Amino acid sequence: MAHGLIHGDDPGDDPGDDPPGDPIRPDSGGEPADDTATEPEPTVWAFLDVGTETACALATEGYATCWGWDGHGEVSTVPTTHFQDVAVGRDHVCGLGDDGAVTCWGSSEYGADTPPAGSYADIVSGGYFSCAVTSANDVTCWGSDETGQLHPPEGPITGLTTSFKAVCGLNIDGIASCWGAESYGKTEPPEEVFLTVELTEFTGCGLRASDGGVTCWGSEEYVPNAPTSTGYTSLSCGVENCCALGTAGAMTCWGSDTNSQVSSAPSSGVW
């Protein structure tokens, strides 16, 4: 802050009237200016989910902020509810409240914004549908049922992941179960034990529990060159490509490279 005299820059003014370094606001009744409250504390984000054209994040206080496509109020009608999780679909968003209740907003097409009552522990969204998991790992889905994505298998399922029209999850033994769109064979996983599974629009991939290696199924034409090395700890997939992190933090990516998703991935560093 540049310091000066309230009465002007005439050096003949008595500097003792308004001492430099202790500025006085003319309308403050003679109180010193408060320079400690000029900027609010920055928001700290705790969780992020990205959909097709909309993204949402949860602050550490649990309040959601969304940005991107707002054609159905995905951004402008975010509830003020305190959420513990948020899931973004094609044109709807769902949040999981602290009490386990699900609240959805955005498009009402297919009933995607009308979740069933109940208490849930996890939530995911696909294109025009969403699924939630109870604390007993029972799965309930709502919205579009165009390809049977609202009909999960019987029995407890956890670790859900979605593509636009399909869902995969793991049973209590780590065996993958998938349902919904059967195109490219992505809903036909091998009977292996996985730590986690992910879906692209053309394949499914799982992180093996035995050695941390990656097994993929479905169309290798669209998502080729899955790594043969082992020791991965994390896996994430997009529409046509996937990336995995190794135990030392090194990153490996594979699949479509039409927009340099693979070739421009960092080749060094610890993540």
Side-chain angles (χ1 to χ4, degrees):
M1 175 180 288
H3 297 293
L5 303 178
I6 295 297
H7 302 297
D9 296 326
D10 183 353
D13 284 342
D14 181 1
D17 292 341
D18 298 299
D22 188 19
I24 305 298
R25 292 196 187 100
D27 60 349
S28 64
E31 294 296 326
D34 183 4
D35 290 333
T36 65
T38 56
E39 294 185 7
E41 289 293 325
T43 300
V44 178
W45 304 105
F47 181 79
L48 173 70
D49 193 46
V50 179
T52 307
E53 297 180 276
T54 306
C56 295
L58 289 182
T60 52
E61 296 85 2
Y63 298 104
T65 296
C66 299
W67 60 96
W69 171 250
D70 193 33
H72 300 277
E74 300 93 318
V75 174
S76 57
T77 63
V78 178
T80 57
T81 306
H82 190 280
F83 293 116
Q84 57 176 306
D85 197 1
V86 65
V88 184
R90 172 62 182 83
D91 53 11
H92 74 286
V93 184
C94 293
L96 182 64
D98 286 343
D99 59 355
V102 175
T103 301
C104 300
W105 61 97
S107 174
S108 60
E109 189 174 14
Y110 305 110
D113 66 337
T114 311
S119 180
Y120 300 95
D122 190 20
I123 186 171
V124 295
S125 290
Y128 298 99
F129 72 98
S130 295
C131 296
V133 185
T134 68
S135 58
N137 294 327
D138 295 321
V139 179
T140 298
C141 302
W142 65 95
S144 172
D145 195 31
E146 179 183 357
T147 58
Q149 59 266 54
L150 303 191
H151 301 282
E154 294 183 1
I157 299 288
T158 188
L160 294 185
T161 183
T162 63
S163 65
F164 204 77
K165 296 181 180 180
V167 192
C168 284
L170 299 175
N171 68 15
I172 57 175
D173 297 317
I175 305 298
S177 294
C178 302
W179 62 99
E182 299 176 354
S183 55
Y184 307 101
K186 66 176 177 286
T187 56
E188 301 173 1
E191 192 167 331
E192 296 185 41
V193 179
F194 295 112
L195 297 174
T196 185
V197 289
E198 286 282 320
L199 280 174
T200 75
E201 289 304 314
F202 307 98
T203 64
C205 291
L207 196 63
R208 295 192 299 268
S210 59
D211 59 3
V214 175
T215 296
C216 294
W217 58 93
S219 174
E220 291 188 7
E221 176 184 358
Y222 293 98
V223 190
N225 305 318
T228 57
S229 51
T230 59
Y232 293 105
T233 59
S234 178
L235 171 68
S236 183
C237 293
V239 175
E240 297 182 26
N241 60 287
C242 299
C243 293
L245 293 180
T247 52
M251 183 188 303
T252 300
C253 296
W254 66 96
S256 172
D257 198 37
T258 54
N259 293 293
S260 302
Q261 309 98 299
V262 175
S263 58
S264 64
S267 57
S268 62
V270 177
W271 304 95

